[in-house]
Amino acid sequence: MLHEFIDNFTHNLFKPLLLFFYAGFLIPMFHVKLEFPKAVYQGLTIYLLLAIGWKGGEELAGLEPELYGQAAGFMIIGFFTNFAIGIAAYTALRWTTKIRQVDAATVAGYYGSDSAGTFVTAMGVLTAGHIAFAPYMPVLLAVMEIPGCLVALYLVAKMREKGMDAAGNMPGETGYNRFREAMIASPRHVGTDEEHDEYDHEEFSEEELEEELVTAGAGNGKVRAARSNSTIIRSSGGSAGRGGSKASHGSGSNGNGSAGAGSLSGSTSDDEMDAMLALQEVNLNKGGESAKKKGGSFLNPTLLHEVFLNPGIFLLFAGITIGFISRLQGEKVTQTDDALFVHLFHGLLCIFLLEMGMTASKKLKDLGNAGWQFVTFALVAPNLFATCGMLIAHGYSMVLGQPFEIGTYVLFAVLCGAASYIALPAVQRLAIPEASPTLPLAASLGVTFSYNVTIGIPVYMMIATILTKYAPVAVTAAAAVAS
């Protein structure tokens, strides 16, 4: 068993797919001046999602009628498994790391979702190794992307109810300002006399004022802070929590004893990166507007549309539907001699992994301030969640009395152990502007994705082999007849 694992592990590490990933990973490290065109990345992502969906839809149409119930049950189990993983990830982050609660909730949402890139890579490895898997697994990719979005939105909605300020800080966290949410609605909001008396007489050091200038505000609102009888006005051009902001102070007076307005410019590169990964364009001048219009509900129509009809999910379901209907009409595109969906698939996947390696390498630098506990979580989480997923899948297999292929376990493990980088960035930008844009992607792409596609897949194959060998499924009579 150990020899087989080592052989699979070393063989997997030097597959062309992974060699392209390594090459991309080294590009930022060696300061190679190569920029991957955004249009090419989005085109590759669209192609891969449609190709996976189309092939999955055709295979789904060819299933025996009794397997549709099995597929439906697996989808329900996968949905609730990822929902539980999102809650477990949040609990683990709160216990083991020192990141803010809003960031813990957002990262947990990423891990409660799944990764199309990891899934595609795993499919490529399994196909190259001639390892079978259930044809309906691409449908689970779409279904299991949704729970993480719901977990993150729910947790952040509860935090807002408990008094989270507009910069994403909770009571007791550094930089918390209980008046910030009220003041962000209007630059002329004055609150009650008692609030002003208490706030106006607070003593602030110059360092605290500088910290306020840098960290205050979400969206395009203006925030007013008073110190004694003077007022400092500052405006925010970006979402709360965006790293790398600089405060520039005005140098004059306005005649009313107020200092000139200083501007706060948010970093746009993080928004652009999120938008590219989420297959979307982003208006950098409208960050946080949706959060201010939430109306007390964590699932408004705009947000529901983003959760269930984001580009990744839509393209995947579109491909599945097209393939399903085409197969029912007697047309099967994904034959072994098909040029577009078969012959080109692995080549384009290699180019996709080149870009993913570049992105993962760039994201590693964002882990510097998160602490070793956060990095440890990003390494341990995929193994823990993937193993739990395989145990759940094996339990479902035993209940059905129908053994699953090794590839099915591996793909389900990948769906449980991976972290999103398509759906969640879009949802975060729309509904959770207070959270850090860099921490979740640093964990999901910089650590978890890199681990899964290099080490994780052969590890999951070994665990699945051990599981099926030492805890075999007793085939029921009904399953035997069906097969």
Side-chain angles (χ1 to χ4, degrees), residues 6 12 18 32 44 129 147 163 170 217 244 257 320 388 458:
I6 294 174
N12 184 71
L18 274 300
V32 179
L44 288 172
M170 292 293 290
I320 290 170
C388 290

Side-chain angles (χ1 to χ4, degrees), residues 12 59 71 100 107 133 137 293 311 329 351 360 448 452 459 473:
N12 184 71
E59 296 294 335
R100 299 184 307 165
V107 173
F133 54 85
M137 295 307 290
K293 296 176 182 179
Q329 297 297 317
I351 300 174
T448 299
N452 273 328
V459 169
V473 176

Side-chain angles (χ1 to χ4, degrees), residues 254-467:
N254 62 10
N256 294 326
S258 297
S263 65
L264 198 68
S265 61
S267 169
T268 61
S269 60
D270 296 323
D271 293 292
E272 291 168 348
M273 175 65 74
D274 290 1
M276 184 184 80
L277 293 173
L279 301 179
Q280 292 183 343
E281 294 292 338
V282 59
N283 187 338
L284 298 175
N285 296 320
K286 293 186 178 181
E289 287 297 319
S290 299
K292 287 191 282 183
K293 296 176 182 179
K294 63 184 181 296
S297 171
F298 80 97
L299 284 180
N300 56 52
T302 302
L303 198 51
L304 283 170
H305 183 275
E306 191 64 39
V307 171
F308 293 98
L309 286 175
N310 68 73
I313 290 179
F314 177 81
L315 288 171
L316 196 57
F317 272 128
I320 290 170
T321 304
I322 293 168
F324 186 84
I325 295 174
S326 299
R327 179 69 181 272
L328 291 180
Q329 297 297 317
E331 298 182 15
K332 192 172 189 297
V333 173
T334 56
Q335 303 284 0
T336 55
D337 59 346
D338 176 67
L340 180 62
F341 288 113
V342 177
H343 294 319
L344 283 178
F345 185 85
H346 282 277
L348 294 178
L349 179 56
C350 287
I351 300 174
F352 174 79
L353 283 173
L354 178 74
E355 196 284 334
M356 292 305 296
M358 294 170 59
T359 304
S361 182
K362 291 175 183 176
K363 285 297 173 185
L364 283 179
K365 69 180 186 299
D366 297 325
L367 294 170
N369 297 324
W372 65 267
Q373 298 95 331
F374 186 70
V375 179
T376 301
F377 168 83
L379 281 172
V380 172
N383 293 284
L384 180 62
F385 296 150
T387 301
C388 290
M390 281 189 282
L391 290 173
I392 291 171
H394 196 57
Y396 180 52
S397 176
M398 287 184 167
V399 170
L400 292 174
Q402 176 67 55
F404 293 151
E405 295 90 349
I406 294 295
T408 300
Y409 286 103
V410 174
L411 290 179
F412 193 70
V414 162
L415 292 174
C416 294
S420 174
Y421 64 85
I422 292 182
L424 259 298
V427 172
Q428 177 185 350
R429 191 174 57 250
L430 180 73
I432 317 175
E434 305 94 336
S436 165
T438 57
L439 276 181
L441 284 174
S444 65
L445 277 176
V447 181
T448 299
F449 178 83
S450 302
Y451 172 82
N452 273 328
V453 299
T454 55
I455 301 174
I457 293 172
V459 169
Y460 306 151
M461 290 171 63
M462 181 191 69
I463 296 173
T465 302
I466 294 173
L467 197 60

